[in-house]
Amino acid sequence: MTSASWQARISCGRETGAGFLVTERHVLTCAHVVARSATDAVNVSFAQGEDALHAKVVAHGGWDGQDTHPGDVAVLELDRSVPRKPAEFAAPSDAYGDPPRRLLAYGFPKRYDEGTLAEYRATADQLIAGEWVQLEAWAAHGQPLVPGFSGAAVTLADTGRVVGMVSAAARDPGIRNGRMLPAQVMARYWPRLGELIPTPEYGRAEKERLRELVEERGPEFDGSPECSPERLYSDAVGPFGPPLPARRFGSLWDAAWYLLSEVPDTGAVARFVARLADFTEDAQTRGALRAWPRRPYDRPQAPVYRPPAGTQPWSPILVEIAPSGCGDHHFLVEVSAYNGRHRRVVGSRALPADRVRGYALERIDEAYHELEPGARELIAFVLPRRWLNADVAHWQRSADDDSPLGSFAPLVVMDLERRRSGGLQHKLLQKWQRLDAQPTARLHRIGCGAVGQDPVRLTIGLRRGADVVGFASPPRADSTRQLFRAGLNAAVPVMLWPRTGCRGEHRGGAHEDCTGAAFLDRLAEHLAGLPPSELPSHIHELRETAYASDAAEPHWAYDLALLWEDPRCLPDPMGYLHSPVA
């Protein structure tokens, strides 16, 4: 049963609305209810209580007067404390359920000076414009949300705990829906509210200390690119963590609260605080930040890629092309840019096959805006297995540049299935750790005569002793595709092959004039003495030479394909739990 003792009636000039007590001196309401507080007095009276109290606005969400503008939150400070128990908050997810939860709002419409109740439910937990949840009437009759309900607490009918605040009411009583500002959204605008909202992994004292630390350092950081909220968030979650939300963070506290309330990795908050300390000049505050407790069950960050001495780390532009779940000829294309350990999704769209190339090329070009001027770019295509032999290196770079994409920057391909296999990614990490300890790797040749070899034995053999594999023929026929599958399942980090040429159908040994054998000879000669970690750069130079050749016969490396995968410098893949277009 909901108690009305902390429910408040707010009046400011000609406007009347609702509010609710959250501390013994602070009341929350909508900013539009007290929009005239600069000239008109703000009065607060409690249901079942004493005479009206005077109040002043002490915090504001930044609402600018437009109905659709965010931040319609105001915090009122009473002229004295009141002997009432403040409202209690529910966990953010408690407002939603199947079947829906019955929600109550206590408002003060015309002719209801003592207040009245309205019964509603949340349509869904999806935020509208990143800010509001839609409310719809619990029944076809009863009290609608009309003027006088703005600022009212939205509570769970069975517990009386607060899940949000009514932020929009209909002028027409016949319209039986409204909007709620969820409690976790309100906490973006008033940090103290975060301490009152239950978060499973953090206690009130921890959240209070974090708020104090952020508020102490916040003003000097807001607006600085190097320690912007987005940059600190990306540092905290690492390259494998949740991406930045679609909206921009409004402050450092907004980013900190998002980590507290939305990111399951508890270690992210500790890393956020540690990065904040890096930009703090005051020694005492810096020490307090670095003393933030790290929990024994915090997830460690993923291994950091450390390039060979004298070389820069890669800054990948990742192009993932995956089945969309909408038929054989439709794909989900996602392009991301990685600046150091910071990931930004440039574009993501489900497309028919004939539109994939154009969309991917446009987003690749756009992704370069995310890279630092001195970044060492690497264009990496993650492709379905049947597309591994696609001519992505030969794609025309743009509408007004006919040069191949593979001549513009280092370009590699990766297998989508292998990227989503935890076991194979683990094996790849182990192989790269071994490769780091040796300056070069010998090319393991799989010639045309290997067709018909038992794929299980080949997989086991390659897993035990092959790090760079060259194929004499492309994965076009069923027999050669089995050889490629063996290399992929053996977690071979580097695989090279000619996209065209010999079809690999010689059994019992290659023909004397086999182009595949000649290709492997030239490849072995070119790769001798080169470290595998630098092969994308060397193959890029080789492609430039091949594309620019004016010889009568095509250069031997004109159609060279390179599969190269180091999980340490490329983002950890996350498989879809359902169809991405469901």
Side-chain angles (χ1 to χ4, degrees):
M1 186 72 179
T2 301
S3 169
S5 64
W6 44 259
Q7 308 276 10
R9 182 178 187 272
I10 313 293
S11 62
C12 179
R14 300 176 61 183
E15 190 75 30
T16 298
F20 52 105
L21 189 72
V22 292
T23 77
E24 53 187 30
R25 284 197 67 178
H26 293 98
V27 172
L28 288 182
T29 189
C30 288
H32 75 260
V33 172
V34 291
R36 298 181 61 86
S37 61
T39 57
D40 295 332
V42 178
N43 294 307
V44 179
S45 57
F46 290 94
Q48 307 173 0
E50 59 275 350
D51 295 336
L53 302 173
H54 294 296
K56 61 181 179 179
V57 177
V58 293
H60 195 283
W63 180 73
D64 70 353
Q66 302 297 317
D67 289 345
T68 58
H69 195 270
D72 190 6
V73 179
V75 183
L76 310 181
E77 185 178 83
L78 304 175
D79 59 6
R80 60 180 173 83
S81 299
V82 293
R84 293 172 177 270
K85 184 179 180 182
E88 294 182 354
F89 287 81
S93 60
D94 288 353
Y96 319 100
D98 187 12
R101 302 291 297 272
R102 188 164 68 100
L103 307 176
L104 300 179
Y106 194 102
F108 300 87
K110 286 183 179 180
R111 296 185 295 276
Y112 287 93
D113 290 347
E114 74 285 4
T116 188
L117 288 169
E119 294 180 299
Y120 274 74
R121 61 185 172 189
T123 303
D125 61 355
Q126 179 178 344
L127 291 179
I128 299 171
E131 185 87 358
W132 305 282
V133 165
Q134 181 171 310
L135 297 177
E136 57 186 29
W138 181 260
H141 52 81
Q143 174 65 53
L145 291 179
V146 293
F149 275 91
S150 292
V154 179
T155 63
L156 296 170
D158 54 351
T159 68
R161 291 180 177 267
V162 177
V163 295
M165 178 177 74
V166 176
S167 61
R171 296 285 175 184
D172 182 354
I175 299 176
R176 304 187 61 78
N177 57 27
R179 283 185 176 179
M180 173 180 78
L181 203 58
Q184 72 269 26
V185 172
M186 289 190 286
R188 300 174 191 166
Y189 304 111
W190 192 47
R192 286 191 62 181
L193 187 58
E195 299 159 29
L196 307 178
I197 299 172
T199 46
E201 302 294 343
Y202 304 95
R204 181 167 180 169
E206 278 183 296
K207 291 185 286 187
E208 180 181 7
R209 184 61 182 138
L210 179 60
R211 172 182 62 80
E212 292 171 347
L213 290 171
V214 170
E215 286 181 341
E216 287 174 9
R217 312 316 305 158
E220 71 181 67
F221 293 123
D222 289 347
S224 173
E226 290 187 355
C227 50
S228 67
E230 287 77 18
R231 188 68 177 261
L232 291 175
Y233 172 84
S234 297
D235 285 343
V237 299
F240 307 155
L244 286 163
R247 64 178 182 86
R248 291 188 64 83
F249 291 125
S251 63
L252 284 177
W253 166 255
D254 190 358
W257 174 244
Y258 192 86
L259 290 168
L260 286 168
S261 59
E262 301 286 348
V263 176
D265 173 19
T266 57
V269 172
R271 292 189 290 271
F272 177 87
V273 173
R275 290 295 290 146
L276 196 59
D278 292 340
F279 296 102
T280 301
E281 296 182 2
D282 181 76
Q284 184 175 353
T285 305
R286 185 168 60 248
L289 287 165
R290 288 181 172 160
W292 182 266
R294 185 176 295 274
R295 305 178 186 194
Y297 51 86
D298 284 349
R299 175 184 62 80
Q301 281 187 289
V304 177
Y305 171 61
R306 304 191 184 282
T311 61
Q312 287 181 276
W314 295 109
S315 292
I317 295 174
L318 194 72
V319 185
E320 185 174 60
I321 301 174
S324 71
C326 197
D328 290 342
H329 302 291
H330 286 75
F331 297 89
L332 181 68
V333 184
E334 182 172 278
V335 180
S336 305
Y338 294 81
N339 191 348
R341 297 179 63 83
H342 313 296
R343 172 179 182 261
R344 179 175 175 81
V345 176
V346 178
S348 180
R349 184 172 298 178
L351 296 165
D354 60 355
R355 294 179 56 195
V356 166
R357 178 186 299 200
Y359 179 81
L361 288 170
E362 289 177 2
R363 299 291 83 75
I364 290 171
D365 193 63
E366 184 180 340
Y368 272 87
H369 290 297
E370 304 298 328
L371 303 186
E372 297 290 344
R376 193 174 181 223
E377 76 263 43
L378 173 68
I379 301 175
F381 280 83
V382 181
L383 302 172
R385 191 160 295 181
R386 68 180 187 272
W387 275 33
L388 276 182
N389 200 46
D391 62 343
V392 291
H394 285 265
W395 282 4
Q396 179 182 326
R397 193 190 72 82
S398 68
D400 59 354
D401 182 358
D402 294 338
S403 65
L405 187 62
S407 70
F408 186 73
L411 184 151
V412 301
V413 299
M414 289 174 286
D415 177 65
L416 178 66
E417 294 177 34
R418 189 166 84 169
R419 289 285 298 157
R420 294 180 175 178
S421 167
L424 292 177
Q425 292 296 301
H426 183 72
K427 290 295 183 184
L428 279 168
L429 285 169
Q430 291 178 332
K431 289 212 170 192
W432 278 108
Q433 288 174 347
R434 184 173 69 251
L435 284 171
D436 286 345
Q438 57 192 60
T440 62
R442 185 176 62 86
L443 177 69
H444 184 99
R445 301 168 58 121
I446 297 184
C448 300
V451 171
Q453 185 173 345
D454 180 68
V456 174
R457 290 176 182 164
L458 180 59
T459 300
I460 295 172
L462 293 175
R463 187 178 294 150
R464 294 174 62 184
D467 299 314
V468 180
V469 172
F471 295 87
S473 55
R476 292 188 297 189
D478 289 342
S479 54
T480 53
R481 279 197 288 267
Q482 288 186 353
L483 302 178
F484 270 73
R485 190 181 304 117
L488 294 169
N489 290 334
V492 174
V494 183
M495 295 164 56
L496 306 100
W497 67 93
R499 285 191 52 260
T500 58
C502 177
R503 295 184 59 85
E505 296 175 344
H506 313 307
R507 294 180 181 271
H511 290 180
E512 292 181 1
D513 59 350
C514 175
T515 58
F519 169 83
L520 290 179
D521 290 340
R522 300 295 299 272
L523 185 64
E525 178 184 348
H526 184 81
L527 298 184
L530 298 180
S533 61
E534 293 301 297
L535 283 186
S537 180
H538 292 290
I539 297 302
H540 173 233
E541 295 174 359
L542 182 59
R543 281 174 173 152
E544 287 183 311
T545 301
Y547 297 152
S549 174
D550 58 0
E553 294 293 327
H555 191 280
W556 70 271
Y558 183 80
D559 265 334
L560 174 63
L562 169 63
L563 184 148
W564 182 95
E565 184 175 3
D566 185 347
R568 299 170 300 177
C569 64
L570 290 165
D572 192 28
M574 295 298 290
Y576 293 109
L577 299 180
H578 52 76
S579 166
V581 297

